[in-house]
Amino acid sequence: MSPTPTGASASMHPEAAKAVIARLKRARGQLDGVIAMIEADRDCSDIVTQLSAASKAVDRAAFSVVACGLEMCLEAESKGETPALDRARLEKLFLSLA
């Protein structure tokens, strides 16, 4: 997948790509915060709470990407086109997030 001039992936709707990018940037900020917390010798429970939040943000971004792929497959089928992802590949994507 090559990026479009806006930076969004050509296989994702631009608004969906923007939302995923925002989530990932938020997660990156949370991870930077976790690193700072560890360097500052903060309490383990605070660190785990922030790690959990970052993990959830990444998981939600991944589910959004998979949902976008599913949506594109459904759109292709409704137009009588061959979907870019077949059932086996979509299933593998879902299972990779489980």
Side-chain angles (χ1 to χ4, degrees):
M1 289 183 277
S2 61
T4 62
T6 61
S9 170
S11 65
M12 289 183 72
H13 297 293
E15 57 278 352
K18 279 178 125 177
V20 168
I21 290 168
R23 273 191 203 283
L24 292 174
K25 286 182 177 182
R26 193 172 318 120
R28 181 173 55 195
Q30 289 168 324
L31 288 173
D32 288 341
V34 168
I35 291 168
M37 291 171 76
I38 293 169
E39 291 173 341
D41 198 29
R42 293 274 305 268
D43 184 66
C44 289
S45 63
D46 294 338
I47 294 168
V48 169
T49 298
Q50 283 303 322
L51 280 171
S52 175
S55 177
K56 286 178 186 173
V58 170
D59 286 346
R60 290 179 70 102
F63 282 119
S64 292
V65 172
V66 171
C68 184
L70 178 59
E71 180 181 34
M72 292 179 72
C73 287
L74 292 172
E75 287 175 6
E77 282 187 353
S78 72
K79 295 176 185 175
E81 300 169 355
T82 302
L85 296 172
D86 61 20
R87 178 185 170 96
R89 286 182 64 198
L90 274 173
E91 186 174 325
K92 186 175 179 179
L93 288 173
F94 275 111
L95 290 174
S96 72
L97 296 173

